Amino acid sequence: QVQLVESGGGLVQAGGSLRLNCAASGRTLSTYGMGWFRQAPGKEREFVTAISWTGGTTYYADSVKGRFTISRDNAKNTVYLQMNSLKPEDTAVYYCAATTTIIPGPRSNYAYWGQGTQVTVSS
């Protein structure tokens, strides 16, 4: 079993940047595909991005392509989400999640979830 804890959220103006971190404990992340999801007020949970076990393959929602970058450092048991050119519509609680799918995407089964970190982008 793996426990996930997100950090790095906060308040930023439109056009700014944040880097989110997802730290794992209990198990190494090396055999888990990882994803980031977000949920804005009044909206359904939305897939943002995912990365394969070794980091060689990534998948991005169209809404964040070119602005967000997912990466991982398995030696540090950490996954990152670099968010640039932030927009007010990026405001949401961001969650990281783990799946045994080697090359995950939006429809993979994510069995483990963090508690979320709030990202607020002001106009």
Short mmCIF file of all heavy atoms in Angstrom, two decimals, residues 1-6 21-25 29 32-39 44-50 93-100 104-117:
data_model
loop_
_atom_site.label_atom_id
_atom_site.label_comp_id
_atom_site.label_asym_id
_atom_site.label_seq_id
_atom_site.Cartn_x
_atom_site.Cartn_y
_atom_site.Cartn_z
N GLN A 1 0.84 -1.18 0.00
CA GLN A 1 0.00 0.00 0.00
C GLN A 1 0.89 1.24 0.00
O GLN A 1 2.01 1.20 0.53
CB GLN A 1 -0.93 0.00 1.21
CG GLN A 1 -2.04 1.01 1.13
CD GLN A 1 -3.10 0.78 2.17
OE1 GLN A 1 -2.79 0.64 3.35
NE2 GLN A 1 -4.34 0.73 1.74
N VAL A 2 0.38 2.30 -0.59
CA VAL A 2 1.13 3.53 -0.68
C VAL A 2 0.29 4.68 -0.14
O VAL A 2 -0.93 4.74 -0.35
CB VAL A 2 1.58 3.80 -2.14
CG1 VAL A 2 0.38 3.93 -3.07
CG2 VAL A 2 2.47 5.03 -2.22
N GLN A 3 0.94 5.57 0.58
CA GLN A 3 0.30 6.78 1.06
C GLN A 3 0.88 7.96 0.29
O GLN A 3 2.10 8.04 0.08
CB GLN A 3 0.52 6.98 2.56
CG GLN A 3 -0.16 5.93 3.43
CD GLN A 3 0.64 4.65 3.50
OE1 GLN A 3 1.86 4.65 3.66
NE2 GLN A 3 -0.06 3.52 3.39
N LEU A 4 0.02 8.88 -0.12
CA LEU A 4 0.42 10.01 -0.94
C LEU A 4 0.05 11.30 -0.25
O LEU A 4 -1.06 11.44 0.27
CB LEU A 4 -0.28 9.94 -2.30
CG LEU A 4 -0.09 8.65 -3.10
CD1 LEU A 4 -0.99 8.66 -4.33
CD2 LEU A 4 1.37 8.49 -3.51
N VAL A 5 0.96 12.25 -0.26
CA VAL A 5 0.73 13.55 0.36
C VAL A 5 1.15 14.63 -0.62
O VAL A 5 2.31 14.71 -1.01
CB VAL A 5 1.50 13.71 1.68
CG1 VAL A 5 1.24 15.10 2.27
CG2 VAL A 5 1.09 12.64 2.67
N GLU A 6 0.19 15.48 -0.99
CA GLU A 6 0.47 16.59 -1.89
C GLU A 6 0.90 17.82 -1.11
O GLU A 6 0.48 18.03 0.03
CB GLU A 6 -0.77 16.94 -2.74
CG GLU A 6 -1.34 15.79 -3.55
CD GLU A 6 -2.46 15.07 -2.82
OE1 GLU A 6 -2.52 15.14 -1.57
OE2 GLU A 6 -3.28 14.43 -3.51
N ASN A 21 4.01 19.00 -5.38
CA ASN A 21 4.77 17.80 -5.05
C ASN A 21 3.83 16.73 -4.53
O ASN A 21 2.84 17.03 -3.86
CB ASN A 21 5.81 18.10 -3.97
CG ASN A 21 6.63 19.32 -4.26
OD1 ASN A 21 7.37 19.35 -5.24
ND2 ASN A 21 6.50 20.35 -3.43
N CYS A 22 4.14 15.50 -4.83
CA CYS A 22 3.41 14.36 -4.30
C CYS A 22 4.44 13.40 -3.73
O CYS A 22 5.17 12.75 -4.48
CB CYS A 22 2.58 13.70 -5.38
SG CYS A 22 1.69 12.23 -4.83
N ALA A 23 4.49 13.31 -2.41
CA ALA A 23 5.45 12.46 -1.74
C ALA A 23 4.77 11.16 -1.31
O ALA A 23 3.67 11.17 -0.77
CB ALA A 23 6.02 13.16 -0.52
N ALA A 24 5.44 10.06 -1.55
CA ALA A 24 4.89 8.75 -1.25
C ALA A 24 5.61 8.11 -0.07
O ALA A 24 6.81 8.32 0.14
CB ALA A 24 5.00 7.82 -2.46
N SER A 25 4.86 7.34 0.68
CA SER A 25 5.42 6.52 1.74
C SER A 25 4.70 5.18 1.75
O SER A 25 3.65 5.03 1.14
CB SER A 25 5.31 7.20 3.10
OG SER A 25 3.95 7.41 3.44
N LEU A 29 7.47 4.40 -5.33
CA LEU A 29 6.66 4.73 -6.49
C LEU A 29 7.14 4.08 -7.77
O LEU A 29 6.50 4.24 -8.81
CB LEU A 29 6.63 6.25 -6.69
CG LEU A 29 5.89 7.10 -5.67
CD1 LEU A 29 5.90 8.56 -6.10
CD2 LEU A 29 4.46 6.60 -5.48
N TYR A 32 4.56 2.15 -9.81
CA TYR A 32 3.26 2.78 -9.96
C TYR A 32 3.29 3.84 -11.05
O TYR A 32 4.19 4.68 -11.08
CB TYR A 32 2.81 3.46 -8.66
CG TYR A 32 2.44 2.50 -7.55
CD1 TYR A 32 3.39 2.06 -6.65
CD2 TYR A 32 1.14 2.04 -7.42
CE1 TYR A 32 3.06 1.18 -5.64
CE2 TYR A 32 0.80 1.16 -6.41
CZ TYR A 32 1.76 0.74 -5.52
OH TYR A 32 1.42 -0.13 -4.51
N GLY A 33 2.28 3.78 -11.91
CA GLY A 33 2.00 4.94 -12.72
C GLY A 33 1.35 5.99 -11.84
O GLY A 33 0.64 5.66 -10.88
N MET A 34 1.58 7.25 -12.15
CA MET A 34 1.07 8.32 -11.32
C MET A 34 0.25 9.30 -12.14
O MET A 34 0.58 9.57 -13.30
CB MET A 34 2.22 9.07 -10.64
CG MET A 34 3.04 8.22 -9.69
SD MET A 34 2.08 7.62 -8.26
CE MET A 34 1.57 9.18 -7.52
N GLY A 35 -0.77 9.82 -11.53
CA GLY A 35 -1.60 10.81 -12.18
C GLY A 35 -1.90 11.99 -11.27
O GLY A 35 -1.81 11.88 -10.05
N TRP A 36 -2.23 13.10 -11.89
CA TRP A 36 -2.74 14.27 -11.20
C TRP A 36 -4.16 14.53 -11.68
O TRP A 36 -4.43 14.50 -12.89
CB TRP A 36 -1.88 15.51 -11.45
CG TRP A 36 -0.58 15.54 -10.73
CD1 TRP A 36 0.63 15.14 -11.19
CD2 TRP A 36 -0.37 16.00 -9.39
NE1 TRP A 36 1.60 15.33 -10.24
CE2 TRP A 36 1.01 15.86 -9.12
CE3 TRP A 36 -1.19 16.53 -8.40
CZ2 TRP A 36 1.58 16.22 -7.90
CZ3 TRP A 36 -0.63 16.88 -7.19
CH2 TRP A 36 0.73 16.73 -6.95
N PHE A 37 -5.03 14.80 -10.73
CA PHE A 37 -6.41 15.17 -10.99
C PHE A 37 -6.71 16.47 -10.28
O PHE A 37 -5.99 16.88 -9.38
CB PHE A 37 -7.37 14.08 -10.50
CG PHE A 37 -7.25 12.77 -11.23
CD1 PHE A 37 -6.20 11.90 -10.97
CD2 PHE A 37 -8.19 12.40 -12.18
CE1 PHE A 37 -6.09 10.69 -11.63
CE2 PHE A 37 -8.09 11.19 -12.85
CZ PHE A 37 -7.04 10.35 -12.58
N ARG A 38 -7.80 17.10 -10.66
CA ARG A 38 -8.22 18.31 -9.97
C ARG A 38 -9.74 18.36 -9.91
O ARG A 38 -10.43 17.79 -10.74
CB ARG A 38 -7.67 19.56 -10.65
CG ARG A 38 -8.20 19.82 -12.05
CD ARG A 38 -7.44 20.97 -12.69
NE ARG A 38 -7.95 21.29 -14.01
CZ ARG A 38 -7.39 22.18 -14.82
NH1 ARG A 38 -6.30 22.84 -14.45
NH2 ARG A 38 -7.92 22.41 -16.02
N GLN A 39 -10.22 19.07 -8.92
CA GLN A 39 -11.65 19.27 -8.77
C GLN A 39 -11.90 20.72 -8.38
O GLN A 39 -11.48 21.16 -7.31
CB GLN A 39 -12.25 18.32 -7.73
CG GLN A 39 -13.77 18.37 -7.69
CD GLN A 39 -14.37 17.20 -6.95
OE1 GLN A 39 -13.70 16.55 -6.14
NE2 GLN A 39 -15.63 16.92 -7.22
N GLU A 44 -17.01 18.32 -11.61
CA GLU A 44 -16.56 16.95 -11.42
C GLU A 44 -15.04 16.89 -11.35
O GLU A 44 -14.33 17.78 -11.84
CB GLU A 44 -17.05 16.08 -12.57
CG GLU A 44 -18.55 16.02 -12.75
CD GLU A 44 -19.15 14.86 -12.01
OE1 GLU A 44 -18.77 13.70 -12.29
OE2 GLU A 44 -20.00 15.09 -11.14
N ARG A 45 -14.54 15.83 -10.74
CA ARG A 45 -13.11 15.59 -10.75
C ARG A 45 -12.62 15.42 -12.18
O ARG A 45 -13.24 14.72 -12.97
CB ARG A 45 -12.78 14.35 -9.92
CG ARG A 45 -11.29 14.09 -9.76
CD ARG A 45 -11.05 12.84 -8.94
NE ARG A 45 -11.57 11.66 -9.62
CZ ARG A 45 -11.67 10.46 -9.05
NH1 ARG A 45 -11.31 10.30 -7.78
NH2 ARG A 45 -12.15 9.44 -9.74
N GLU A 46 -11.50 16.03 -12.49
CA GLU A 46 -11.00 16.10 -13.85
C GLU A 46 -9.57 15.56 -13.91
O GLU A 46 -8.72 15.91 -13.09
CB GLU A 46 -11.03 17.55 -14.33
CG GLU A 46 -10.42 17.80 -15.69
CD GLU A 46 -10.31 19.28 -16.00
OE1 GLU A 46 -10.32 20.10 -15.05
OE2 GLU A 46 -10.22 19.63 -17.19
N PHE A 47 -9.31 14.73 -14.90
CA PHE A 47 -7.96 14.26 -15.14
C PHE A 47 -7.09 15.39 -15.68
O PHE A 47 -7.52 16.15 -16.55
CB PHE A 47 -7.99 13.10 -16.16
CG PHE A 47 -6.63 12.67 -16.62
CD1 PHE A 47 -5.86 11.81 -15.86
CD2 PHE A 47 -6.12 13.12 -17.83
CE1 PHE A 47 -4.61 11.41 -16.29
CE2 PHE A 47 -4.87 12.72 -18.27
CZ PHE A 47 -4.12 11.86 -17.49
N VAL A 48 -5.88 15.47 -15.17
CA VAL A 48 -4.95 16.51 -15.60
C VAL A 48 -3.80 15.92 -16.40
O VAL A 48 -3.54 16.32 -17.54
CB VAL A 48 -4.41 17.31 -14.40
CG1 VAL A 48 -3.38 18.34 -14.86
CG2 VAL A 48 -5.55 17.99 -13.65
N THR A 49 -3.09 14.96 -15.81
CA THR A 49 -1.91 14.40 -16.45
C THR A 49 -1.52 13.10 -15.76
O THR A 49 -1.93 12.83 -14.63
CB THR A 49 -0.74 15.41 -16.39
OG1 THR A 49 0.40 14.88 -17.06
CG2 THR A 49 -0.38 15.74 -14.95
N ALA A 50 -0.73 12.29 -16.45
CA ALA A 50 -0.24 11.04 -15.89
C ALA A 50 1.15 10.74 -16.44
O ALA A 50 1.53 11.23 -17.50
CB ALA A 50 -1.19 9.89 -16.19
N VAL A 93 -8.79 21.98 -6.24
CA VAL A 93 -8.00 21.12 -5.37
C VAL A 93 -7.34 20.08 -6.26
O VAL A 93 -8.01 19.40 -7.04
CB VAL A 93 -8.86 20.44 -4.30
CG1 VAL A 93 -8.01 19.48 -3.46
CG2 VAL A 93 -9.51 21.48 -3.39
N TYR A 94 -6.04 19.97 -6.15
CA TYR A 94 -5.27 19.04 -6.97
C TYR A 94 -4.90 17.82 -6.17
O TYR A 94 -4.39 17.92 -5.04
CB TYR A 94 -4.00 19.72 -7.51
CG TYR A 94 -4.28 20.66 -8.65
CD1 TYR A 94 -4.93 21.86 -8.44
CD2 TYR A 94 -3.92 20.32 -9.96
CE1 TYR A 94 -5.22 22.71 -9.49
CE2 TYR A 94 -4.19 21.17 -11.01
CZ TYR A 94 -4.84 22.36 -10.77
OH TYR A 94 -5.11 23.21 -11.83
N TYR A 95 -5.14 16.65 -6.75
CA TYR A 95 -4.88 15.37 -6.12
C TYR A 95 -3.88 14.57 -6.93
O TYR A 95 -3.98 14.53 -8.16
CB TYR A 95 -6.16 14.54 -6.02
CG TYR A 95 -7.29 15.18 -5.24
CD1 TYR A 95 -8.21 16.00 -5.86
CD2 TYR A 95 -7.42 14.94 -3.88
CE1 TYR A 95 -9.25 16.58 -5.16
CE2 TYR A 95 -8.46 15.51 -3.16
CZ TYR A 95 -9.37 16.33 -3.80
OH TYR A 95 -10.40 16.90 -3.10
N CYS A 96 -2.96 13.91 -6.27
CA CYS A 96 -2.16 12.91 -6.96
C CYS A 96 -2.72 11.53 -6.65
O CYS A 96 -3.37 11.31 -5.63
CB CYS A 96 -0.68 13.01 -6.61
SG CYS A 96 -0.24 12.59 -4.91
N ALA A 97 -2.47 10.61 -7.55
CA ALA A 97 -3.01 9.27 -7.43
C ALA A 97 -2.06 8.27 -8.05
O ALA A 97 -1.29 8.60 -8.96
CB ALA A 97 -4.38 9.20 -8.12
N ALA A 98 -2.11 7.04 -7.57
CA ALA A 98 -1.23 5.98 -8.02
C ALA A 98 -2.02 4.82 -8.60
O ALA A 98 -3.08 4.46 -8.09
CB ALA A 98 -0.35 5.49 -6.87
N THR A 99 -1.48 4.23 -9.66
CA THR A 99 -2.09 3.09 -10.31
C THR A 99 -1.04 2.07 -10.66
O THR A 99 0.13 2.42 -10.88
CB THR A 99 -2.84 3.54 -11.59
OG1 THR A 99 -3.35 2.39 -12.27
CG2 THR A 99 -1.91 4.29 -12.54
N THR A 100 -1.42 0.81 -10.71
CA THR A 100 -0.49 -0.24 -11.14
C THR A 100 -0.39 -0.31 -12.65
O THR A 100 0.41 -1.09 -13.16
CB THR A 100 -0.90 -1.59 -10.58
OG1 THR A 100 -2.26 -1.88 -10.93
CG2 THR A 100 -0.76 -1.61 -9.06
N PRO A 104 -0.17 4.92 -17.57
CA PRO A 104 -1.54 5.32 -17.20
C PRO A 104 -2.06 6.47 -18.04
O PRO A 104 -1.32 7.23 -18.66
CB PRO A 104 -1.38 5.75 -15.74
CG PRO A 104 0.02 6.28 -15.67
CD PRO A 104 0.82 5.41 -16.61
N GLY A 105 -3.36 6.58 -18.01
CA GLY A 105 -4.06 7.67 -18.66
C GLY A 105 -5.28 8.04 -17.85
O GLY A 105 -5.41 7.65 -16.69
N PRO A 106 -6.19 8.79 -18.44
CA PRO A 106 -7.34 9.28 -17.67
C PRO A 106 -8.30 8.21 -17.19
O PRO A 106 -9.00 8.44 -16.21
CB PRO A 106 -8.03 10.24 -18.67
CG PRO A 106 -7.57 9.79 -20.01
CD PRO A 106 -6.17 9.30 -19.81
N ARG A 107 -8.32 7.06 -17.85
CA ARG A 107 -9.27 6.02 -17.48
C ARG A 107 -8.64 4.86 -16.71
O ARG A 107 -9.31 3.87 -16.46
CB ARG A 107 -9.99 5.51 -18.74
CG ARG A 107 -10.90 6.56 -19.38
CD ARG A 107 -11.44 6.08 -20.71
NE ARG A 107 -10.39 5.90 -21.70
CZ ARG A 107 -9.86 6.87 -22.42
NH1 ARG A 107 -10.28 8.12 -22.26
NH2 ARG A 107 -8.90 6.61 -23.29
N SER A 108 -7.41 4.98 -16.34
CA SER A 108 -6.76 3.96 -15.54
C SER A 108 -7.39 3.89 -14.16
O SER A 108 -8.01 4.84 -13.69
CB SER A 108 -5.26 4.25 -15.41
OG SER A 108 -4.64 4.29 -16.67
N ASN A 109 -7.21 2.76 -13.51
CA ASN A 109 -7.74 2.57 -12.17
C ASN A 109 -6.72 3.07 -11.15
O ASN A 109 -5.70 2.43 -10.92
CB ASN A 109 -8.06 1.10 -11.92
CG ASN A 109 -8.59 0.84 -10.53
OD1 ASN A 109 -9.20 1.72 -9.91
ND2 ASN A 109 -8.37 -0.36 -10.03
N TYR A 110 -7.01 4.21 -10.56
CA TYR A 110 -6.13 4.79 -9.55
C TYR A 110 -6.61 4.36 -8.17
O TYR A 110 -7.66 4.82 -7.70
CB TYR A 110 -6.09 6.31 -9.68
CG TYR A 110 -5.46 6.77 -10.97
CD1 TYR A 110 -6.21 6.92 -12.13
CD2 TYR A 110 -4.09 7.03 -11.02
CE1 TYR A 110 -5.62 7.32 -13.31
CE2 TYR A 110 -3.50 7.44 -12.20
CZ TYR A 110 -4.27 7.58 -13.35
OH TYR A 110 -3.67 7.98 -14.52
N ALA A 111 -5.86 3.50 -7.53
CA ALA A 111 -6.30 2.89 -6.28
C ALA A 111 -5.93 3.72 -5.05
O ALA A 111 -6.56 3.57 -4.00
CB ALA A 111 -5.71 1.49 -6.14
N TYR A 112 -4.92 4.57 -5.17
CA TYR A 112 -4.43 5.33 -4.03
C TYR A 112 -4.46 6.81 -4.35
O TYR A 112 -4.03 7.23 -5.43
CB TYR A 112 -3.01 4.89 -3.66
CG TYR A 112 -2.92 3.41 -3.38
CD1 TYR A 112 -2.41 2.53 -4.33
CD2 TYR A 112 -3.36 2.89 -2.17
CE1 TYR A 112 -2.33 1.18 -4.08
CE2 TYR A 112 -3.30 1.54 -1.92
CZ TYR A 112 -2.78 0.69 -2.87
OH TYR A 112 -2.71 -0.65 -2.61
N TRP A 113 -4.92 7.59 -3.39
CA TRP A 113 -5.12 9.02 -3.58
C TRP A 113 -4.57 9.80 -2.40
O TRP A 113 -4.63 9.36 -1.26
CB TRP A 113 -6.61 9.34 -3.72
CG TRP A 113 -7.23 8.76 -4.94
CD1 TRP A 113 -7.66 7.49 -5.12
CD2 TRP A 113 -7.49 9.45 -6.17
NE1 TRP A 113 -8.16 7.32 -6.39
CE2 TRP A 113 -8.08 8.52 -7.05
CE3 TRP A 113 -7.28 10.76 -6.60
CZ2 TRP A 113 -8.46 8.86 -8.34
CZ3 TRP A 113 -7.66 11.10 -7.89
CH2 TRP A 113 -8.24 10.16 -8.74
N GLY A 114 -4.05 10.98 -2.71
CA GLY A 114 -3.67 11.90 -1.66
C GLY A 114 -4.86 12.70 -1.19
O GLY A 114 -5.99 12.55 -1.66
N GLN A 115 -4.61 13.59 -0.23
CA GLN A 115 -5.66 14.40 0.36
C GLN A 115 -5.94 15.68 -0.41
O GLN A 115 -6.96 16.33 -0.19
CB GLN A 115 -5.31 14.75 1.80
CG GLN A 115 -5.19 13.54 2.71
CD GLN A 115 -6.46 12.73 2.77
OE1 GLN A 115 -7.53 13.27 3.09
NE2 GLN A 115 -6.37 11.44 2.47
N GLY A 116 -5.06 16.05 -1.31
CA GLY A 116 -5.27 17.21 -2.13
C GLY A 116 -4.56 18.45 -1.62
O GLY A 116 -4.30 18.59 -0.43
N THR A 117 -4.25 19.35 -2.53
CA THR A 117 -3.68 20.64 -2.20
C THR A 117 -4.38 21.71 -3.02
O THR A 117 -4.64 21.52 -4.21
CB THR A 117 -2.15 20.65 -2.42
OG1 THR A 117 -1.61 21.89 -1.96
CG2 THR A 117 -1.80 20.44 -3.89
#
